Amino acid sequence: MTEFVLAVTLGLLFGLGTFLVLRRDVVRVVWGVAIISQAANVYLVTVGVGTTGGAGAPILGHGHAGEAAVADPLVQALVLTAIVIGFGTTAFALVLTFRLYEEHGTIDLDGIAGSEGDGAAGTGTAGDGAADAGGSR
Amino acid sequence: MTEQVVVAPLLSALVAAVLALLLRSYPRLQRGVSVLGGLAYGAGVLFLAARVAADADRRLVYQVSDWTAPFGISLIADPLSVLMLGLTAVVSLAALVYSLYFLDREDARLSYHPLYHFMILGVTGSFLTGDVFNLFVWFEVMLMSSYVLVVFYSGAEQTRAALLYSLLNLVGSAVMLLAIGGLYATTGTLNMADMARRLAEPAAYGIDPAPVLGISAVLLSVFALKAGIVPFQFWVPAAYEAAPEPVTAVLAGVVKKVGIYAIVRLYFMVFAAASVPVSLPGIGGDSFLSFFGPVLFVTAAASILLGGVGALGQDRMAGLLAYSSIGQIGFVVLPLAVAATAPEFRVLGVTAALVYAINHGLAKALLFLVGGAVRAGTGTDRFADLGGLAGREPVLAGSFFVGGLALVGIPPLTGFFGKFLVFDIAGRAGSTAGLAVALVGAVFTIAYVTRAWNRGFWGEAGPSVAASTRRPALVAVVAALAGLIVLLGVGFDPLYAAAENAAEAALDAEGYVSAVDPTTAAEATADAASGTNGGGHS
């Protein structure tokens, strides 16, 4: 039963994440990526639960049903690492979204893609790059 | 048995990164420490290479915190790691010195040097680790720094490119985490050596190889994304054009090769031991590699063609070089694909891929640095505004010529041997399709290199070229790198020997396992010896 509930939850989380990633709004895309990486973390935890589902804390002298009834602590350590990394990357992606809004005046992905075409046709981007390189030294 | 020397390159990069971060109020000191860090890294790699070469087993293992192999994190330096670290040391030092004179000092003061060394740290960790999850962590270290370095100029174009680059890689990281969780669930281990041992005899450990095959295919997509192989190439041109040229040189020269390294290490060693009892249409043999061979072949062929066509259509030097690196990575994967399907040519195929990877790493880094010097001098890298650089900047033009010829594959440069080995393996394995793809790719390479040369360096000098300023320091770095490519090509034997050693080490799963985990390996050998009176190894 636990397995079934976890599987459905995971499926819903991945579905929601994928749905959000495919939006045009950059903030929603960032949320989608965050949800997908959290879903991956949940998946990792379920790996350690085992088939019995009733897993106790892996503390010496705590469990009394043998090692089969103990959750695998390794995946929990992995998830801790992954959460820290995910925290950093999500924060960075949000800051980048803000910078994107400052530069383009929109967080609509289509609007941003359009401005690239303008930049390539006009001289805006080239002048920008030239100023950067010329200003160095 | 623990060899502390394995962590020398890691430590030098980490110390340089932390010191550069602490010294950001003292720019001169920071720059000095940064270059010293680059030199120390090179010295560390050289020392490690000497120790690995002197070792009887040619493998040095460091167990982090002295936790023994299958449980702790192992760092392993073998000829394959050392070869890739050597490439990293050369390219990163050249690009670092170059960036001192290229970037605005005020711009670079805050974050450039720490991030640069953190990126190198991530690359180094990926090359040295013997643990799949640890590989994920090092990938993240490398990627986090590269996100910030791509957005370094933080203009409109850069923020857009960096957002797409980071979002794509964030999804890639989630997929990688999923695949690693799946591998742990199916094989019960994260240690590469332990995984190789378990997959070699799945029945003894209760492993069903079929899900492992699926999970390893998912993992391949992540490495293909990092290496920028078609169909995961779309982030490459935008990110490479947005990043400052010295960063792009490292991204194209070294960071891309991490994906290739991971494919060689995991698919040609760890997963190669396993066999699947399922038959798929059009695939002969029952090994994992005979499944991945055709997959790699299709992606390699698509990369070569798309990279070649894309490069021809570019009107900026950075764009041309970015598309070219998609095509060239195809040339690295092609011999791997042939080697995967033809077991008897496996050493030759991996050798060819490694030689080509080293050649591309050096030549493409050189070309991006030339592109940066051109842009710094003339203020543009559009072919329409260039022309006549050969007369005005003969050394710079000469270096571009060397890099271009190395891509095309003209003897005596390293590129010739790379191309030659790719054709050789395709011919020997009787792969007509492989030969055809390589031939078309070679023609494309000649076409776009010629185009860049004709429009950028020959002809009448345009107004921006006539008004260009000389940047002697940049030209000196570029010329040094060009000289190195010529030297390596003329004296090719040591590079070939190193690549062959690396290929043999990469394919020798048994030696890898016994080096990482001697006690369990000895027990397994003892078991085998008592049962069958054989199968032992030193």
Side-chain angles (χ1 to χ4, degrees), chain B residues 312-343:
Chain B
L312 276 177
Q314 295 300 307
D315 60 351
R316 286 183 56 192
M317 201 182 277
L320 183 139
L321 295 175
Y323 270 98
S324 150
S325 62
I326 298 173
Q328 297 294 316
I329 229 56
F331 271 109
V332 178
V333 179
L334 191 66
L336 288 181
V338 175
T341 31

PDB file of all heavy atoms in Angstrom, chain B residues 312-343:
ATOM      1  N   LEU B 312      28.761  26.264 -40.943  1.00  0.00           N
ATOM      2  CA  LEU B 312      28.868  26.947 -42.241  1.00  0.00           C
ATOM      3  C   LEU B 312      27.980  28.177 -42.309  1.00  0.00           C
ATOM      4  O   LEU B 312      28.277  29.122 -43.037  1.00  0.00           O
ATOM      5  CB  LEU B 312      28.474  25.980 -43.362  1.00  0.00           C
ATOM      6  CG  LEU B 312      29.589  25.064 -43.832  1.00  0.00           C
ATOM      7  CD1 LEU B 312      29.072  24.103 -44.871  1.00  0.00           C
ATOM      8  CD2 LEU B 312      30.739  25.880 -44.390  1.00  0.00           C
ATOM      9  N   GLY B 313      26.869  28.163 -41.551  1.00  0.00           N
ATOM     10  CA  GLY B 313      25.911  29.250 -41.664  1.00  0.00           C
ATOM     11  C   GLY B 313      26.145  30.400 -40.699  1.00  0.00           C
ATOM     12  O   GLY B 313      25.323  31.304 -40.640  1.00  0.00           O
ATOM     13  N   GLN B 314      27.222  30.370 -39.924  1.00  0.00           N
ATOM     14  CA  GLN B 314      27.408  31.394 -38.895  1.00  0.00           C
ATOM     15  C   GLN B 314      28.088  32.648 -39.444  1.00  0.00           C
ATOM     16  O   GLN B 314      28.962  32.557 -40.305  1.00  0.00           O
ATOM     17  CB  GLN B 314      28.265  30.830 -37.753  1.00  0.00           C
ATOM     18  CG  GLN B 314      27.591  29.700 -37.021  1.00  0.00           C
ATOM     19  CD  GLN B 314      26.279  30.124 -36.412  1.00  0.00           C
ATOM     20  OE1 GLN B 314      26.206  31.103 -35.689  1.00  0.00           O
ATOM     21  NE2 GLN B 314      25.217  29.400 -36.726  1.00  0.00           N
ATOM     22  N   ASP B 315      27.674  33.805 -38.921  1.00  0.00           N
ATOM     23  CA  ASP B 315      28.315  35.044 -39.365  1.00  0.00           C
ATOM     24  C   ASP B 315      29.228  35.621 -38.290  1.00  0.00           C
ATOM     25  O   ASP B 315      29.779  36.686 -38.458  1.00  0.00           O
ATOM     26  CB  ASP B 315      27.278  36.074 -39.806  1.00  0.00           C
ATOM     27  CG  ASP B 315      26.323  36.424 -38.675  1.00  0.00           C
ATOM     28  OD1 ASP B 315      26.382  35.747 -37.637  1.00  0.00           O
ATOM     29  OD2 ASP B 315      25.531  37.366 -38.837  1.00  0.00           O
ATOM     30  N   ARG B 316      29.369  34.910 -37.141  1.00  0.00           N
ATOM     31  CA  ARG B 316      30.301  35.354 -36.108  1.00  0.00           C
ATOM     32  C   ARG B 316      31.280  34.234 -35.810  1.00  0.00           C
ATOM     33  O   ARG B 316      30.929  33.057 -35.882  1.00  0.00           O
ATOM     34  CB  ARG B 316      29.554  35.715 -34.825  1.00  0.00           C
ATOM     35  CG  ARG B 316      28.803  37.029 -34.900  1.00  0.00           C
ATOM     36  CD  ARG B 316      28.163  37.323 -33.566  1.00  0.00           C
ATOM     37  NE  ARG B 316      29.178  37.323 -32.505  1.00  0.00           N
ATOM     38  CZ  ARG B 316      28.875  37.325 -31.207  1.00  0.00           C
ATOM     39  NH1 ARG B 316      27.640  37.307 -30.815  1.00  0.00           N
ATOM     40  NH2 ARG B 316      29.839  37.336 -30.315  1.00  0.00           N
ATOM     41  N   MET B 317      32.509  34.605 -35.445  1.00  0.00           N
ATOM     42  CA  MET B 317      33.521  33.588 -35.204  1.00  0.00           C
ATOM     43  C   MET B 317      33.140  32.694 -34.031  1.00  0.00           C
ATOM     44  O   MET B 317      33.289  31.471 -34.091  1.00  0.00           O
ATOM     45  CB  MET B 317      34.867  34.253 -34.957  1.00  0.00           C
ATOM     46  CG  MET B 317      36.027  33.318 -35.203  1.00  0.00           C
ATOM     47  SD  MET B 317      37.584  34.114 -34.849  1.00  0.00           S
ATOM     48  CE  MET B 317      37.887  34.974 -36.346  1.00  0.00           C
ATOM     49  N   ALA B 318      32.597  33.310 -32.938  1.00  0.00           N
ATOM     50  CA  ALA B 318      32.236  32.512 -31.766  1.00  0.00           C
ATOM     51  C   ALA B 318      31.155  31.498 -32.126  1.00  0.00           C
ATOM     52  O   ALA B 318      31.200  30.345 -31.675  1.00  0.00           O
ATOM     53  CB  ALA B 318      31.760  33.423 -30.643  1.00  0.00           C
ATOM     54  N   GLY B 319      30.178  31.910 -32.963  1.00  0.00           N
ATOM     55  CA  GLY B 319      29.115  31.000 -33.358  1.00  0.00           C
ATOM     56  C   GLY B 319      29.654  29.847 -34.184  1.00  0.00           C
ATOM     57  O   GLY B 319      29.296  28.683 -33.975  1.00  0.00           O
ATOM     58  N   LEU B 320      30.556  30.185 -35.104  1.00  0.00           N
ATOM     59  CA  LEU B 320      31.150  29.151 -35.952  1.00  0.00           C
ATOM     60  C   LEU B 320      31.898  28.128 -35.096  1.00  0.00           C
ATOM     61  O   LEU B 320      31.743  26.917 -35.268  1.00  0.00           O
ATOM     62  CB  LEU B 320      32.106  29.809 -36.954  1.00  0.00           C
ATOM     63  CG  LEU B 320      32.753  28.880 -37.970  1.00  0.00           C
ATOM     64  CD1 LEU B 320      32.775  29.535 -39.331  1.00  0.00           C
ATOM     65  CD2 LEU B 320      34.169  28.511 -37.574  1.00  0.00           C
ATOM     66  N   LEU B 321      32.677  28.628 -34.135  1.00  0.00           N
ATOM     67  CA  LEU B 321      33.460  27.714 -33.297  1.00  0.00           C
ATOM     68  C   LEU B 321      32.549  26.880 -32.407  1.00  0.00           C
ATOM     69  O   LEU B 321      32.827  25.697 -32.164  1.00  0.00           O
ATOM     70  CB  LEU B 321      34.451  28.513 -32.457  1.00  0.00           C
ATOM     71  CG  LEU B 321      35.533  29.235 -33.251  1.00  0.00           C
ATOM     72  CD1 LEU B 321      36.387  30.088 -32.329  1.00  0.00           C
ATOM     73  CD2 LEU B 321      36.405  28.240 -33.989  1.00  0.00           C
ATOM     74  N   ALA B 322      31.430  27.481 -31.929  1.00  0.00           N
ATOM     75  CA  ALA B 322      30.517  26.739 -31.064  1.00  0.00           C
ATOM     76  C   ALA B 322      29.878  25.581 -31.831  1.00  0.00           C
ATOM     77  O   ALA B 322      29.849  24.445 -31.351  1.00  0.00           O
ATOM     78  CB  ALA B 322      29.444  27.667 -30.515  1.00  0.00           C
ATOM     79  N   TYR B 323      29.402  25.864 -33.054  1.00  0.00           N
ATOM     80  CA  TYR B 323      28.814  24.779 -33.848  1.00  0.00           C
ATOM     81  C   TYR B 323      29.874  23.756 -34.210  1.00  0.00           C
ATOM     82  O   TYR B 323      29.618  22.545 -34.230  1.00  0.00           O
ATOM     83  CB  TYR B 323      28.148  25.342 -35.100  1.00  0.00           C
ATOM     84  CG  TYR B 323      26.704  25.682 -34.866  1.00  0.00           C
ATOM     85  CD1 TYR B 323      26.320  26.972 -34.593  1.00  0.00           C
ATOM     86  CD2 TYR B 323      25.736  24.685 -34.871  1.00  0.00           C
ATOM     87  CE1 TYR B 323      24.998  27.290 -34.345  1.00  0.00           C
ATOM     88  CE2 TYR B 323      24.414  24.995 -34.624  1.00  0.00           C
ATOM     89  CZ  TYR B 323      24.045  26.299 -34.364  1.00  0.00           C
ATOM     90  OH  TYR B 323      22.743  26.582 -34.110  1.00  0.00           O
ATOM     91  N   SER B 324      31.081  24.246 -34.488  1.00  0.00           N
ATOM     92  CA  SER B 324      32.161  23.327 -34.823  1.00  0.00           C
ATOM     93  C   SER B 324      32.421  22.366 -33.669  1.00  0.00           C
ATOM     94  O   SER B 324      32.712  21.192 -33.882  1.00  0.00           O
ATOM     95  CB  SER B 324      33.415  24.122 -35.165  1.00  0.00           C
ATOM     96  OG  SER B 324      34.554  23.406 -34.826  1.00  0.00           O
ATOM     97  N   SER B 325      32.268  22.851 -32.411  1.00  0.00           N
ATOM     98  CA  SER B 325      32.578  21.934 -31.313  1.00  0.00           C
ATOM     99  C   SER B 325      31.484  20.884 -31.158  1.00  0.00           C
ATOM    100  O   SER B 325      31.754  19.813 -30.625  1.00  0.00           O
ATOM    101  CB  SER B 325      32.851  22.683 -30.015  1.00  0.00           C
ATOM    102  OG  SER B 325      31.742  23.395 -29.612  1.00  0.00           O
ATOM    103  N   ILE B 326      30.267  21.160 -31.633  1.00  0.00           N
ATOM    104  CA  ILE B 326      29.249  20.091 -31.669  1.00  0.00           C
ATOM    105  C   ILE B 326      29.703  19.003 -32.646  1.00  0.00           C
ATOM    106  O   ILE B 326      29.664  17.810 -32.343  1.00  0.00           O
ATOM    107  CB  ILE B 326      27.881  20.647 -32.095  1.00  0.00           C
ATOM    108  CG1 ILE B 326      27.385  21.671 -31.089  1.00  0.00           C
ATOM    109  CG2 ILE B 326      26.865  19.514 -32.241  1.00  0.00           C
ATOM    110  CD1 ILE B 326      26.123  22.373 -31.520  1.00  0.00           C
ATOM    111  N   GLY B 327      30.155  19.439 -33.826  1.00  0.00           N
ATOM    112  CA  GLY B 327      30.590  18.473 -34.829  1.00  0.00           C
ATOM    113  C   GLY B 327      31.806  17.686 -34.381  1.00  0.00           C
ATOM    114  O   GLY B 327      31.884  16.474 -34.576  1.00  0.00           O
ATOM    115  N   GLN B 328      32.764  18.401 -33.750  1.00  0.00           N
ATOM    116  CA  GLN B 328      34.003  17.730 -33.358  1.00  0.00           C
ATOM    117  C   GLN B 328      33.761  16.714 -32.241  1.00  0.00           C
ATOM    118  O   GLN B 328      34.429  15.688 -32.176  1.00  0.00           O
ATOM    119  CB  GLN B 328      35.039  18.760 -32.913  1.00  0.00           C
ATOM    120  CG  GLN B 328      35.441  19.722 -34.021  1.00  0.00           C
ATOM    121  CD  GLN B 328      36.179  19.030 -35.141  1.00  0.00           C
ATOM    122  OE1 GLN B 328      37.052  18.211 -34.903  1.00  0.00           O
ATOM    123  NE2 GLN B 328      35.829  19.329 -36.376  1.00  0.00           N
ATOM    124  N   ILE B 329      32.795  17.007 -31.354  1.00  0.00           N
ATOM    125  CA  ILE B 329      32.493  16.045 -30.293  1.00  0.00           C
ATOM    126  C   ILE B 329      31.908  14.783 -30.931  1.00  0.00           C
ATOM    127  O   ILE B 329      32.116  13.673 -30.443  1.00  0.00           O
ATOM    128  CB  ILE B 329      31.551  16.675 -29.237  1.00  0.00           C
ATOM    129  CG1 ILE B 329      32.024  16.478 -27.820  1.00  0.00           C
ATOM    130  CG2 ILE B 329      30.197  16.037 -29.236  1.00  0.00           C
ATOM    131  CD1 ILE B 329      33.292  16.885 -27.399  1.00  0.00           C
ATOM    132  N   GLY B 330      31.227  14.940 -32.061  1.00  0.00           N
ATOM    133  CA  GLY B 330      30.754  13.776 -32.806  1.00  0.00           C
ATOM    134  C   GLY B 330      31.911  12.895 -33.242  1.00  0.00           C
ATOM    135  O   GLY B 330      31.828  11.665 -33.186  1.00  0.00           O
ATOM    136  N   PHE B 331      33.026  13.544 -33.649  1.00  0.00           N
ATOM    137  CA  PHE B 331      34.203  12.772 -34.040  1.00  0.00           C
ATOM    138  C   PHE B 331      34.814  12.029 -32.860  1.00  0.00           C
ATOM    139  O   PHE B 331      35.501  11.032 -33.041  1.00  0.00           O
ATOM    140  CB  PHE B 331      35.265  13.700 -34.646  1.00  0.00           C
ATOM    141  CG  PHE B 331      35.115  13.893 -36.122  1.00  0.00           C
ATOM    142  CD1 PHE B 331      34.680  15.093 -36.643  1.00  0.00           C
ATOM    143  CD2 PHE B 331      35.415  12.858 -36.987  1.00  0.00           C
ATOM    144  CE1 PHE B 331      34.532  15.262 -37.999  1.00  0.00           C
ATOM    145  CE2 PHE B 331      35.269  13.028 -38.345  1.00  0.00           C
ATOM    146  CZ  PHE B 331      34.829  14.232 -38.855  1.00  0.00           C
ATOM    147  N   VAL B 332      34.600  12.551 -31.634  1.00  0.00           N
ATOM    148  CA  VAL B 332      35.100  11.847 -30.451  1.00  0.00           C
ATOM    149  C   VAL B 332      34.215  10.638 -30.156  1.00  0.00           C
ATOM    150  O   VAL B 332      34.704   9.578 -29.753  1.00  0.00           O
ATOM    151  CB  VAL B 332      35.144  12.800 -29.236  1.00  0.00           C
ATOM    152  CG1 VAL B 332      35.620  12.076 -27.996  1.00  0.00           C
ATOM    153  CG2 VAL B 332      36.033  13.993 -29.525  1.00  0.00           C
ATOM    154  N   VAL B 333      32.893  10.800 -30.358  1.00  0.00           N
ATOM    155  CA  VAL B 333      31.969   9.725 -30.003  1.00  0.00           C
ATOM    156  C   VAL B 333      31.972   8.623 -31.069  1.00  0.00           C
ATOM    157  O   VAL B 333      31.765   7.455 -30.744  1.00  0.00           O
ATOM    158  CB  VAL B 333      30.546  10.296 -29.803  1.00  0.00           C
ATOM    159  CG1 VAL B 333      29.567   9.194 -29.445  1.00  0.00           C
ATOM    160  CG2 VAL B 333      30.549  11.344 -28.717  1.00  0.00           C
ATOM    161  N   LEU B 334      32.246   8.994 -32.320  1.00  0.00           N
ATOM    162  CA  LEU B 334      32.181   8.015 -33.409  1.00  0.00           C
ATOM    163  C   LEU B 334      33.062   6.781 -33.164  1.00  0.00           C
ATOM    164  O   LEU B 334      32.563   5.645 -33.243  1.00  0.00           O
ATOM    165  CB  LEU B 334      32.546   8.701 -34.732  1.00  0.00           C
ATOM    166  CG  LEU B 334      32.277   7.882 -35.985  1.00  0.00           C
ATOM    167  CD1 LEU B 334      30.789   7.664 -36.168  1.00  0.00           C
ATOM    168  CD2 LEU B 334      32.843   8.573 -37.220  1.00  0.00           C
ATOM    169  N   PRO B 335      34.371   6.949 -32.846  1.00  0.00           N
ATOM    170  CA  PRO B 335      35.166   5.748 -32.572  1.00  0.00           C
ATOM    171  C   PRO B 335      34.662   4.975 -31.351  1.00  0.00           C
ATOM    172  O   PRO B 335      34.767   3.743 -31.317  1.00  0.00           O
ATOM    173  CB  PRO B 335      36.579   6.288 -32.339  1.00  0.00           C
ATOM    174  CG  PRO B 335      36.440   7.733 -32.117  1.00  0.00           C
ATOM    175  CD  PRO B 335      35.212   8.170 -32.828  1.00  0.00           C
ATOM    176  N   LEU B 336      34.084   5.690 -30.371  1.00  0.00           N
ATOM    177  CA  LEU B 336      33.516   4.983 -29.213  1.00  0.00           C
ATOM    178  C   LEU B 336      32.374   4.088 -29.669  1.00  0.00           C
ATOM    179  O   LEU B 336      32.237   2.951 -29.215  1.00  0.00           O
ATOM    180  CB  LEU B 336      32.993   5.989 -28.189  1.00  0.00           C
ATOM    181  CG  LEU B 336      34.027   6.773 -27.385  1.00  0.00           C
ATOM    182  CD1 LEU B 336      33.325   7.699 -26.406  1.00  0.00           C
ATOM    183  CD2 LEU B 336      34.937   5.829 -26.636  1.00  0.00           C
ATOM    184  N   ALA B 337      31.537   4.622 -30.582  1.00  0.00           N
ATOM    185  CA  ALA B 337      30.398   3.850 -31.067  1.00  0.00           C
ATOM    186  C   ALA B 337      30.875   2.603 -31.805  1.00  0.00           C
ATOM    187  O   ALA B 337      30.358   1.500 -31.593  1.00  0.00           O
ATOM    188  CB  ALA B 337      29.543   4.716 -31.990  1.00  0.00           C
ATOM    189  N   VAL B 338      31.893   2.788 -32.668  1.00  0.00           N
ATOM    190  CA  VAL B 338      32.415   1.644 -33.412  1.00  0.00           C
ATOM    191  C   VAL B 338      33.019   0.633 -32.446  1.00  0.00           C
ATOM    192  O   VAL B 338      32.801  -0.578 -32.562  1.00  0.00           O
ATOM    193  CB  VAL B 338      33.457   2.112 -34.450  1.00  0.00           C
ATOM    194  CG1 VAL B 338      34.088   0.923 -35.142  1.00  0.00           C
ATOM    195  CG2 VAL B 338      32.808   3.042 -35.460  1.00  0.00           C
ATOM    196  N   ALA B 339      33.765   1.138 -31.449  1.00  0.00           N
ATOM    197  CA  ALA B 339      34.410   0.247 -30.489  1.00  0.00           C
ATOM    198  C   ALA B 339      33.376  -0.509 -29.665  1.00  0.00           C
ATOM    199  O   ALA B 339      33.601  -1.661 -29.286  1.00  0.00           O
ATOM    200  CB  ALA B 339      35.320   1.046 -29.570  1.00  0.00           C
ATOM    201  N   ALA B 340      32.231   0.121 -29.389  1.00  0.00           N
ATOM    202  CA  ALA B 340      31.215  -0.534 -28.574  1.00  0.00           C
ATOM    203  C   ALA B 340      30.644  -1.745 -29.288  1.00  0.00           C
ATOM    204  O   ALA B 340      30.369  -2.769 -28.672  1.00  0.00           O
ATOM    205  CB  ALA B 340      30.095   0.456 -28.238  1.00  0.00           C
ATOM    206  N   THR B 341      30.480  -1.635 -30.623  1.00  0.00           N
ATOM    207  CA  THR B 341      29.886  -2.761 -31.344  1.00  0.00           C
ATOM    208  C   THR B 341      30.921  -3.809 -31.732  1.00  0.00           C
ATOM    209  O   THR B 341      30.568  -4.957 -31.950  1.00  0.00           O
ATOM    210  CB  THR B 341      29.150  -2.266 -32.600  1.00  0.00           C
ATOM    211  OG1 THR B 341      29.807  -1.107 -33.078  1.00  0.00           O
ATOM    212  CG2 THR B 341      27.710  -1.944 -32.287  1.00  0.00           C
ATOM    213  N   ALA B 342      32.204  -3.410 -31.854  1.00  0.00           N
ATOM    214  CA  ALA B 342      33.237  -4.366 -32.255  1.00  0.00           C
ATOM    215  C   ALA B 342      34.231  -4.562 -31.107  1.00  0.00           C
ATOM    216  O   ALA B 342      35.181  -3.803 -30.971  1.00  0.00           O
ATOM    217  CB  ALA B 342      33.959  -3.848 -33.501  1.00  0.00           C
ATOM    218  N   PRO B 343      34.002  -5.578 -30.257  1.00  0.00           N
ATOM    219  CA  PRO B 343      34.816  -5.741 -29.054  1.00  0.00           C
ATOM    220  C   PRO B 343      36.313  -5.862 -29.345  1.00  0.00           C
ATOM    221  O   PRO B 343      37.136  -5.420 -28.547  1.00  0.00           O
ATOM    222  CB  PRO B 343      34.286  -7.029 -28.433  1.00  0.00           C
ATOM    223  CG  PRO B 343      32.959  -7.246 -29.045  1.00  0.00           C
ATOM    224  CD  PRO B 343      32.978  -6.604 -30.392  1.00  0.00           C
TER     225      PRO B 343
END
